Amino acid sequence: MPAVSEISSTLPRFVVFGEALTDFVRTADNDWHSAAGGSCWNVARVASTLGVATAWAGSVSRDLFGADIVEKSRAAALDMRFLQQVDKPPLIAMVHETAPPRYFFLGTDTADLAFDESALPAQWQQACEVAHFGCISLVREPLGARLVAIAQRLKARGTRITFDPNYRNLMDARYPALFERMAALADIVKLSDEDLSGIYPDRSLSESLAALRNLAPQTLILYTRGAQGMTLLTPDGMLEQAAIPARGGDSVGAGDGCMGGFVASLLERPEAALAEHLEFTAATAAAICSRTGAHAPSRAEVEALLPD
């Protein structure tokens, strides 16, 4: 029988928990087109195409929508042992406006809710160095409570936890307490100005960031502002990174790509300075924005955008 270390070496270093779904987007001429998506799944794809052994741990339907997610997961070289298919309807997001995005979700007893942790490969926890959680999966019960419990167990093992709230309209007045619970567990929190405005509508952005820092004093906080760049708040201060210009695409998936790029850089180059990781993150976002849709760039695409 192989040793635990040998088993673990074949398993992913980065495991992303949460939703994958299908977006139906209304176009300007009132047609609709579908695209595989989901914040957590996007994070996993980006980290994987950047070269990190990554898994997306979640469940999808067995129909054509689930099959599309499976196909794109395989193309991104995700560890397919963590992806589950079940006989449940797909989770659908209807994006009826795009500027700014407005949407609603279809489905109650859908495939994402059927995720079964017990079906994951043996010894996966030993190999997992970083685990990611976020977005609507945390507020869709009974899945949400199970994911929080997984995060707590992994944290107790010493696994690094990353968290992106990715605020959506499913998150009601109860959400700030859940946000604070997850932020207190996390080693890295990535969030945007829009996230903070949604979570704490009665606070200024500076007040919200100060409250988050008090809640999680040792956490790295990656605060993104779109074309205005990003700030990394550390226990010792802050680092600023300007946005890297991109042409010809859109910003779909750029926020998810920031998390995927940041984690990939940390895992692949642990000796590098935080400023270098932040620059790589900005280049990842720019590579995504150079294409339409939630593009998962290769490392070569990202490195081509890094300053000389």
Side-chain angles (χ1 to χ4, degrees):
M1 179 178 294
V4 169
S5 60
E6 294 172 340
I7 296 172
S8 298
S9 68
T10 70
L11 289 163
R13 305 172 69 191
F14 184 35
V15 180
V16 179
F17 294 87
E19 79 284 348
L21 51 78
T22 300
D23 287 315
F24 273 78
V25 183
R26 187 169 68 173
T27 63
D29 53 3
N30 209 31
D31 286 333
W32 295 80
H33 73 268
S34 65
S39 172
C40 298
W41 182 68
N42 285 334
V43 170
R45 284 201 308 148
V46 168
S48 186
T49 58
L50 291 175
V52 173
T54 303
W56 173 72
S59 56
V60 298
S61 56
R62 294 189 190 276
D63 56 21
L64 73 165
F65 300 117
D68 187 37
I69 292 169
V70 169
E71 178 184 350
K72 288 180 169 62
S73 296
R74 188 172 286 114
L78 290 171
D79 190 317
M80 300 303 291
R81 293 172 291 180
F82 288 71
L83 189 155
Q84 302 168 10
Q85 283 190 279
V86 297
D87 293 317
K88 295 281 187 178
L91 177 59
I92 302 293
M94 303 298 294
V95 186
H96 55 94
E97 294 182 27
T98 58
R102 298 186 184 278
Y103 42 81
F104 57 90
F105 299 93
L106 300 180
T108 51
D109 185 21
T110 47
D112 60 304
L113 303 181
F115 170 69
D116 181 5
E117 181 192 1
S118 69
L120 297 181
Q123 310 294 346
W124 70 268
Q125 300 98 326
Q126 282 85 338
C128 179
E129 298 176 38
V130 181
H132 177 74
F133 301 83
C135 204
I136 64 171
S137 59
L138 294 175
V139 297
R140 286 177 56 77
E141 299 299 351
L143 177 63
R146 296 202 301 265
L147 294 184
V148 171
I150 292 171
Q152 291 172 322
R153 291 196 299 271
L154 289 172
K155 181 70 173 183
R157 291 181 59 91
T159 306
R160 283 182 286 177
I161 303 298
T162 65
F163 171 50
D164 180 357
N166 213 348
Y167 187 84
R168 294 291 184 262
N169 58 8
L170 289 182
M171 300 166 184
D172 57 23
R174 297 169 293 181
Y175 183 71
L178 175 60
F179 167 76
E180 291 169 1
R181 185 179 181 187
M182 287 300 300
L185 281 174
D187 298 275
I188 302 168
V189 175
K190 178 265 162 190
L191 75 175
S192 68
D193 46 3
E194 294 178 351
D195 293 328
L196 283 176
S197 296
I199 297 165
Y200 297 123
D202 298 325
R203 296 180 181 175
S204 69
L205 293 176
S206 60
E207 289 171 338
S208 297
L209 284 172
L212 177 56
R213 171 50 73 213
N214 288 335
L215 177 72
Q218 298 304 309
T219 297
L220 294 178
I221 301 170
L222 181 58
Y223 176 54
T224 61
R225 303 184 307 280
Q228 281 68 55
M230 61 186 73
T231 302
L232 183 65
L233 303 172
T234 78
D236 302 317
M238 66 176 63
L239 298 169
E240 297 287 348
Q241 173 64 51
I244 295 176
R247 296 179 181 177
D250 58 40
S251 62
V252 175
D256 305 323
C258 284
M259 178 60 89
F262 192 60
V263 171
S265 187
L266 288 170
L267 286 173
E268 291 292 282
R269 300 184 303 150
E271 76 289 347
L274 284 174
E276 294 179 63
H277 297 308
L278 196 59
E279 187 176 66
F280 186 89
T281 301
T284 302
I288 292 169
C289 292
S290 69
R291 306 279 191 94
T292 57
H295 174 56
S298 67
R299 180 169 289 274
E301 287 179 79
V302 174
E303 291 178 345
L305 294 172
L306 290 171
D308 294 332

